[in-house]
Amino acid sequence: MKIKVGAATDTGLVRESNEDAYLSEPPLYAVADGMGGHRGGEVASALALETLGEGFKKEGAEGVAGTVQRANEAIYERGSRDREVAGMGTTLTVAVTGEDSLHLVHVGDSRAYLYRDGELKPLTEDHTMVQEMVNEGSLTREAARNHPQRSILTRALGIGGDLAVDDLEVAVRPGDRILLCTDGLTATVTDEHIAEILGDNEDSQDAAEKLVEAANDAGGVDNTTVVVLDVEEGV
């Protein structure tokens, strides 16, 4: 199969810097949302993607989960020895495209979605305190959307020595559209609106830019980054 890519990132209307980062090095794609203040967040997301890219060149798709573990260690060690970025961390959502499948590795509250036949389906689950409450049944999905603690992560790269990662394979086919995004999009734009934008914009780059625009139209309270992957016939 062939992949057509669109990507966009924006600081938003409130933040002074962009702590998000993305990687587009076919067949490897990723988004990362750094945290830990202006410098810390930028360093964490950049270090995660740098480590990921280097590891992929050596080990390929089979080694992605292990590479994410090494990125976690690199960020943790850097934060431990550099007071200016102490406590930094980052989310990381990785997609590796194959012949007829998508290999996903995920940590944090950035997300991967599958848009197929007009329907948007989440492929990842947020690693947040609020998501745990939803899973336990003590909070509805509707209430979770505006919960004051919705951004508190239970997993992220750089906040500890050990890290559990979600690692899964998803079957894909021509006509599918994969969306990777940071929570600057999903915290302000509903899944219904995301699906509408993906359905209305055939070109992957146009779709990516329109999604970022929608997040800014909704207040632009955070950095927003999206990568849109269109699965097409061919090689």
Side-chain angles (χ1 to χ4, degrees), residues 28-119:
L28 177 67
Y29 308 91
V31 295
D33 181 356
M35 57 191 180
H38 166 56
R39 183 160 179 261
E42 289 184 4
V43 170
S45 59
L47 184 54
L49 296 185
E50 179 184 347
T51 305
L52 176 66
E54 291 175 354
F56 188 80
K57 289 173 185 176
K58 296 176 182 176
E59 301 178 29
E62 301 295 324
V64 170
T67 299
V68 171
Q69 294 285 0
R70 289 194 293 277
N72 172 60
E73 294 164 6
I75 295 166
Y76 182 70
E77 289 172 5
R78 174 71 181 273
S80 298
R81 70 173 189 267
D82 186 345
R83 192 175 298 177
E84 287 189 27
V85 294
M88 69 176 176
T90 185
T91 71
L92 184 61
T93 300
V94 184
V96 182
T97 55
E99 269 188 40
D100 54 6
S101 66
L102 189 74
H103 183 195
L104 290 172
V105 176
H106 166 71
V107 180
D109 65 351
S110 295
R111 294 180 183 176
Y113 287 91
L114 169 64
Y115 181 75
R116 173 184 288 171
D117 298 332
E119 293 186 7

Side-chain angles (χ1 to χ4, degrees), residues 204-219:
S204 55
Q205 185 60 38
D206 288 345
E209 292 173 3
K210 290 294 184 183
L211 287 167
V212 170
E213 185 180 313
N216 285 338
D217 287 345

